[in-house]
Amino acid sequence: MKIAFAAKPANGTDLYLMAVTREDLKKIKGPHADWVNMLIDAFPEFTGDPGDIVSTVLPGYKYSRFGLVGLGSGDKRTRLSLEKIGGKLMSSLITLPVNDPYIELNGFKADEVAVIASGATLRAYEFRAYMTKKQDQYLSDSITFKSPSPAASGKAFTPLDKSRAAVHWARDLGNEPPNILHPVSFAKRVVAKMKGTNVKVTVFDEKQLTRMGAGAIMAVGQASEQQPRLVILEYNGTGKRNSVPVALVGKGVTFDTGGYSIKTADGMVDMKTDMCGAGAIAAAILSLATRKAKVHVVGALAMVENMISDEAYRPSDIITSLSGQTIEVTNTDAEGRLILADAMWYVQTKYKPKKMIDIATLTGAALVALGEEYAAFYTNDVSLGRELEQSSVDTGDKIWHMPLDPAFNAVMDSGVADMRNTATTRWGGSCTAAAFLQRYVKDGVKWAHIDMAPVAFARGEYALGPAGTTGFGVRLLSDWVENTK
Ligand code: BES
Ligand code: MN
Ligand code: ZN
């Protein structure tokens, strides 16, 4: 979708949409006042709420269609609220079969217009790679927004659009079916996407992972025809060779059957999205690199498929992780923490980061605790927690602070190995998973864990996207990397 900014509509514009706040409706002036008042009279249900849209065909007028779209109340003007205005606008626009509409926005500065446009494009996502027929929404090839300074809006829009492209890529990765996106093809896609950027990509295959001792990743992935991959991304935009990177680690389970601790049919349905943590990190780094952010970041994406075969790992197996710590497998469905343990250990050993964040669709328990609105987050450092919460508020990727506690750690002890992979209690499953992960955080490393199981997948549309995978974490993490002290 091409976004343009202009002071006036082009000749032959198909649809002229005037964006109005509730307050605007009471005092309509300007060249279209008659048409606007006619529409308001004809459609009393139009109140100017965000996403309200009405339009009519005007035979003989210079635009074939003329309409109004609501902006809600004109008061709060944070970046996120402007993005949501754009998102709502787009959600209405895709119900109309028009091409290249012109949207008249009044009372917004040039950079605010750009933010509204970027919110609209964030919402204008669709995943239709495998639909050969159906078309129930209309994504226009291009949209033109009125701006007080088209050049300034265009300039402000460029980086926002790169961030948008990264979010859309993360959604694509999550929406891909597991027969297409498996560990081997996932790694290839990341390599291909990073071509032409300054991101250095290293892919470890099953032989290299076995040799290095990544026993946890290999155990989880060993049943699948598509063998595990560990993909390391490094982007250094600081201009300093010796800068210390921050580390991001993501769970990339391309399909989670549960293994021999098999899931129910219903429980398995959305498990193609179990790689969204890894997708979020790849996309966050893409966003930073394409915007040439002055940051140094390393990403580790642990990619496996959790399957069943005569080579699968079993409950009761004892595996040796890359750290040397042994793990009694008490449940093969608690696979995410296992692969994260090795990936976290690898980045800490190789890159010596002072700060590390992992993100994963880790537990159903996080959904039980927080519903589908918030990701659960845990941290061993108060100031890191504050930074993340600030990025969360600014980007709209919502997180909620959860407890780390010695009691949650104690129930991870095993009688036959250094630890179990599930707790001895069924309660607090997201908290005990975090306690497991903390055993793989080195001394002195500031660490946060984000359990994004609640928010990876949206059942219905929301302000900035349609139903499907959300791209959660891309904006949160890229914002945090840019702003961390
Ligand atoms: N991928 C799942 C977690 C999940 C569940 C994500 C629902 C999204 C929606 C994870 O690998 C898993 O199976 N976790 C188990 C852990 C349990 C065995 C301790 C769970 O939550 O049931
Ligand atoms: Mn699982
Ligand atoms: Zn899983």
Side-chain angles (χ1 to χ4, degrees):
M1 180 179 289
K2 197 179 149 299
I3 297 294
F5 302 96
K8 289 202 299 286
N11 287 333
T13 291
D14 206 15
L15 167 69
Y16 191 111
L17 264 186
M18 205 169 141
V20 289
T21 62
R22 284 189 212 106
E23 296 79 48
D24 288 342
L25 279 180
K26 289 170 208 133
K27 43 175 178 31
I28 295 296
K29 294 194 293 274
H32 311 300
D34 289 348
W35 291 119
V36 176
N37 285 318
M38 185 205 79
L39 275 171
I40 297 172
D41 287 346
F43 297 97
E45 67 274 21
F46 183 87
T47 59
D49 279 347
D52 271 7
I53 194 165
V54 289
S55 73
T56 183
V57 177
L58 296 178
Y61 197 49
K62 53 189 165 176
Y63 318 110
S64 26
R65 230 169 218 285
F66 182 83
L68 299 175
V69 61
L71 294 174
S73 214
D75 45 7
K76 41 177 173 36
R77 292 278 167 93
T78 64
R79 171 162 165 193
L80 183 59
S81 73
L82 291 168
E83 285 171 337
K84 286 186 175 172
I85 284 174
K88 285 279 168 75
L89 198 152
M90 180 58 68
S91 150
S92 307
L93 207 52
I94 57 184
T95 63
L96 297 177
V98 291
N99 222 1
D100 196 10
Y102 180 80
I103 318 257
E104 177 181 331
L105 290 168
N106 290 309
F108 295 96
K109 298 192 203 87
D111 54 345
E112 293 177 328
V113 172
V115 173
I116 292 172
S118 84
T121 57
L122 265 171
R123 174 63 185 80
Y125 172 80
E126 56 178 4
F127 185 73
R128 283 176 184 269
Y130 303 97
M131 287 186 147
T132 60
K133 298 189 192 75
K134 203 167 144 238
Q135 166 119 19
D136 54 11
Q137 59 177 15
Y138 309 94
L139 286 188
S140 171
D141 294 338
S142 56
I143 297 182
T144 305
F145 288 90
K146 180 178 175 181
S147 165
S149 166
S153 291
K155 196 159 175 251
F157 183 71
T158 301
L160 301 177
D161 199 46
K162 292 184 167 145
S163 165
R164 188 277 314 157
V167 173
H168 282 192
W169 182 50
R171 289 178 188 167
D172 280 345
L173 292 170
N175 285 327
E176 282 290 353
N179 57 329
I180 304 290
L181 194 98
H182 47 67
V184 177
S185 59
F186 189 5
K188 282 194 183 134
R189 279 205 193 198
V190 173
V191 170
K193 196 72 176 181
M194 299 301 168
K195 283 245 161 67
T197 69
N198 287 328
V199 180
K200 207 178 115 198
V201 190
T202 313
V203 180
F204 294 107
D205 65 15
E206 68 273 24
K207 290 199 196 77
Q208 294 161 304
L209 287 166
T210 304
R211 209 176 309 134
M212 77 163 75
I217 291 179
M218 286 311 299
V220 175
Q222 71 198 21
S224 175
E225 186 70 26
Q226 307 295 341
Q227 284 287 291
R229 295 289 182 267
L230 175 64
V231 177
I232 305 294
L233 304 174
E234 181 174 12
Y235 168 70
N236 186 353
T238 62
K240 291 180 210 122
R241 263 164 184 267
N242 300 322
S243 61
V244 180
V246 299
L248 303 175
V249 182
K251 171 179 176 181
V253 177
T254 60
F255 194 71
D256 183 10
T257 66
Y260 275 102
S261 312
I262 195 167
K263 289 185 182 295
T264 60
D266 284 350
M268 218 181 283
V269 169
D270 293 330
M271 282 305 130
K272 67 168 185 177
T273 65
D274 210 18
M275 37 53 66
C276 283
I281 285 174
I285 292 176
L286 179 73
S287 171
L288 291 161
T290 52
R291 291 185 290 111
K292 304 206 161 32
K294 294 183 172 51
V295 300
H296 189 182
V297 58
V298 172
L301 320 176
M303 301 171 180
V304 300
E305 187 179 34
N306 189 16
M307 297 292 275
I308 291 176
S309 83
D310 60 345
E311 292 185 72
Y313 77 141
R314 295 153 286 250
S316 295
D317 280 2
I318 296 180
I319 60 185
T320 304
S321 68
L322 183 63
S323 71
Q325 300 181 90
T326 58
I327 306 162
E328 177 194 2
V329 176
T330 43
N331 189 318
T332 61
D333 198 11
E335 83 296 340
R337 63 197 72 182
L338 295 174
I339 66 170
L340 288 171
D342 277 354
M344 284 163 58
W345 199 260
Y346 179 83
V347 277
Q348 290 173 98
T349 309
K350 174 91 202 271
Y351 296 93
K352 314 256 179 322
K354 293 201 171 67
K355 295 176 225 168
M356 172 171 70
I357 299 182
D358 77 81
I359 181 164
T361 46
L362 204 62
T363 67
L367 273 146
V368 175
L370 295 174
E372 294 178 296
E373 212 52 39
Y374 286 83
F377 97 96
Y378 301 80
T379 183
N380 63 3
D381 184 77
V382 174
S383 60
L384 172 55
R386 287 216 188 92
E387 290 177 355
L388 261 181
E389 284 182 321
Q390 186 62 52
S391 291
S392 169
V393 167
D394 291 346
T395 60
D397 281 349
K398 292 193 264 185
I399 60 173
W400 197 257
H401 198 168
M402 302 276 280
L404 291 169
D405 192 288
F408 297 136
N409 184 50
V411 291
M412 302 309 294
D413 281 340
S414 162
V416 290
D418 296 338
M419 69 199 76
R420 321 160 36 102
N421 76 328
T422 59
T424 51
T425 164
R426 59 183 284 226
W427 307 115
S430 179
C431 306
T432 52
F436 176 96
L437 292 175
Q438 196 173 14
R439 294 181 179 219
Y440 295 85
V441 179
K442 292 193 176 186
D443 283 347
V445 175
K446 297 177 178 177
W447 161 74
H449 159 57
I450 301 172
D451 188 340
M452 65 172 287
V455 291
F457 183 85
R459 240 163 273 284
E461 76 162 315
Y462 51 100
L464 296 178
T469 53
T470 57
F472 178 95
V474 179
R475 281 146 55 90
L476 174 69
L477 291 171
S478 55
D479 186 87
W480 174 78
V481 170
E482 276 191 284
N483 292 305
T484 185
K485 300 267 153 31

